[in-house]
Amino acid sequence: MVEWRRYLHQHPELSFQEYNTSRFVAETLRNLGMDVRTGVGGHGVVGILKGSLEGPVVALRADIDALPIQDEKECGYASKTEGVMHACGHDGHTATLLGVASYFSERRSLLRGEIRFLFQPAEEVIPGGAIRMIGDGALDGVDVIYGVHLWTPLEAGKVSSAPGPMMASVDDFVIDVIGKGGHGGLPHDTVDSVVVGASIVLHLQTVVSRSVDPLQPAVVSVGSIQAGTTQNVIADRCRLKGTVRTFDEHTRTLIRDRIEATVRNSCAMYGAEAEIQYLEGYPTLVNDERETERFFRVATALFGEAKVERCRPVMPAEDFAYYLQRVSGCFLFVGAGNERDGIVHPHHHPRFDIDEASMMNAAKVMIRMAVDYALDGK
């Protein structure tokens, strides 16, 4: 698994561009004697392993895409692709699931039912690869699905999950403020799009604090504001980009309505106009109660009660949520941080890394979850 992970880390590919990663995964699965489908939902790969005994169909999923970030690590397996790196652990996810596939392929005669290995592209970019893989039949006949995220905020050796809503929904927006440009010394002859944009940024901060129930977690963040070209020209256009995170559909709809009203009213106040692009992304990730109970029972047996935690809901989003809308399952975090070894950087950081020992823990819990479900039945 370490060898596979380091190879993938050196050769990352962006979302919707995972040509060689897909080829590598498919070849490895074929060498394990599996039936393999390629081109699923884009560059997705599905490995199918049918056991000798009757039983359910258990799906296990890993994401395979990387991020547009320059790798700043100084190590022998740093990315060789300029401006692209595995800064979220997807290389580790892929290597782990290949390890699990190897384990089960050697025990086919003991296997109950079918294990279906989903190697999913494009987790990082809306609309994501999960919904496309589902559309191509990746979940057809599946009884349950499990997924793991190697998680550096959690200490290596620990694992965590939670029943119900665990990861937020994500929506993105782009706001184009259209004013009237002109000379910086003659502002009365213009409609300053920068002033309007700044006003919108400030007013959007009240959407959560004054429109959302305080007991409902929500985030509205403007991450980019772009306008103008020089100091003495008032810009005629200003573009804002941001994201919204919520845990229930009522709040999600409310925030969209409030953002659109805030933008249009702010522009009207200054005599500007607005164009709003609002992109609904991944839904809230909701773990099945029974399958999360299975995780806690299995993980405690594997690692001991002190190493198993119930995690708080987190605002990052995951398109694994689409799978859980269709079949029961559980998504979980496996600790991959290690302060002693300097593995402390957050996900999406240019010096991101994982404690590679965490892959063995991830493999163990996925294997045990699949076996436990097969023995337990539906």
Side-chain angles (χ1 to χ4, degrees):
M1 287 190 291
V2 169
E3 182 180 344
W4 287 330
R5 183 258 167 167
R6 293 188 176 188
Y7 169 80
L8 293 168
H9 200 84
Q10 292 179 76
H11 303 92
E13 294 178 300
L14 294 174
S15 302
F16 305 109
Q17 301 176 32
E18 307 95 342
Y19 309 99
N20 294 319
T21 304
S22 175
R23 189 178 301 116
F24 172 81
V25 168
E27 181 180 335
T28 304
L29 293 175
R30 289 192 182 101
N31 289 339
L32 294 174
M34 289 197 189
D35 294 330
V36 178
R37 287 182 59 201
T38 59
V40 184
H43 299 297
V45 179
V46 175
I48 299 172
L49 184 66
K50 294 185 177 180
S52 301
L53 307 173
E54 291 294 320
V57 180
V58 178
L60 305 175
R61 175 270 206 169
D63 36 20
I64 66 175
D65 54 327
L67 286 155
I69 298 173
Q70 178 62 40
D71 195 346
E72 295 181 0
K73 291 191 303 299
E74 296 178 1
C75 62
Y77 53 86
S79 173
K80 295 181 178 180
T81 305
E82 187 74 19
V84 182
M85 75 171 287
H86 276 291
C88 203
H90 296 187
D91 52 336
H93 302 166
T94 302
T96 297
L97 194 55
L98 287 173
V100 174
S102 177
Y103 176 90
F104 279 119
S105 69
E106 295 173 359
R107 294 160 176 82
R108 190 189 302 256
S109 63
L110 304 175
L111 181 62
R112 294 175 180 268
E114 175 188 322
I115 306 290
R116 193 172 300 176
F117 302 91
L118 310 185
F119 292 86
Q120 180 206 302
E123 188 277 329
E124 294 288 0
V125 178
I126 296 172
I131 196 71
R132 298 185 178 194
M133 289 194 74
I134 292 168
D136 277 354
L139 279 190
D140 291 357
V142 168
D143 295 297
V144 72
I145 187 167
Y146 304 121
V148 166
H149 203 308
L150 300 174
W151 198 242
T152 57
L154 188 66
E155 178 186 352
K158 294 183 176 181
V159 294
S160 71
S161 189
M166 187 176 116
M167 301 184 76
S169 65
V170 55
D171 300 321
D172 292 337
F173 58 83
V174 177
I175 300 165
D176 284 303
V177 176
I178 305 166
K180 178 184 177 184
H183 197 290
L186 302 170
H188 58 290
D189 290 332
T190 72
V191 176
D192 192 338
S193 66
V194 173
V195 170
V196 182
S199 175
I200 290 172
V201 172
L202 293 176
H203 285 125
L204 288 180
Q205 305 312 303
T206 68
V207 170
V208 172
S209 66
R210 289 298 177 268
S211 295
V212 175
D213 183 340
L215 299 180
Q216 290 292 338
V219 168
V220 176
S221 292
V222 177
S224 172
I225 180 167
Q226 300 169 325
T229 56
T230 190
Q231 83 285 354
N232 64 345
V233 176
I234 290 177
D236 63 341
R237 297 181 73 96
C238 178
R239 169 167 283 193
L240 289 70
K241 296 180 181 180
T243 190
V244 176
R245 310 295 169 111
T246 60
F247 281 95
D248 75 275
E249 287 303 310
H250 172 74
T251 303
R252 191 180 190 184
T253 301
L254 170 68
I255 288 178
R256 176 173 185 165
D257 292 343
R258 293 301 303 141
I259 286 176
E260 291 178 347
T262 297
V263 170
R264 300 203 184 283
N265 289 330
S266 295
C267 286
M269 182 170 63
Y270 289 98
E273 296 180 355
E275 295 175 352
I276 304 172
Q277 303 173 55
Y278 204 95
L279 179 61
E280 288 194 359
Y282 309 154
T284 304
L285 187 149
V286 183
N287 275 334
D288 179 79
E289 297 273 348
R290 181 176 177 180
E291 295 311 317
T292 309
E293 289 176 7
R294 187 186 311 279
F295 158 74
F296 282 112
R297 173 165 47 81
V298 164
T300 300
L302 279 170
F303 308 116
E305 188 174 347
K307 297 293 187 181
V308 182
E309 298 181 356
R310 181 183 176 117
C311 68
R312 298 173 60 190
V314 296
M315 284 299 178
E318 243 287 351
D319 72 346
F320 193 85
Y322 288 120
Y323 300 121
L324 293 176
Q325 287 185 331
R326 287 158 175 81
V327 298
S328 61
C330 181
F331 193 71
L332 56 118
F333 293 141
V334 172
N338 188 324
E339 187 173 353
R340 181 194 61 199
D341 293 343
I343 302 174
V344 296
H345 296 94
H347 294 256
H348 295 208
H349 189 282
R351 297 186 67 82
F352 175 84
D353 206 350
I354 61 169
D355 183 333
E356 291 175 322
S358 64
M359 293 189 292
M360 182 61 77
N361 291 336
K364 286 180 179 179
V365 73
M366 293 183 84
I367 290 167
R368 189 68 69 88
M369 292 278 284
V371 170
D372 191 85
Y373 185 89
L375 293 174
D376 185 39
K378 299 180 185 177

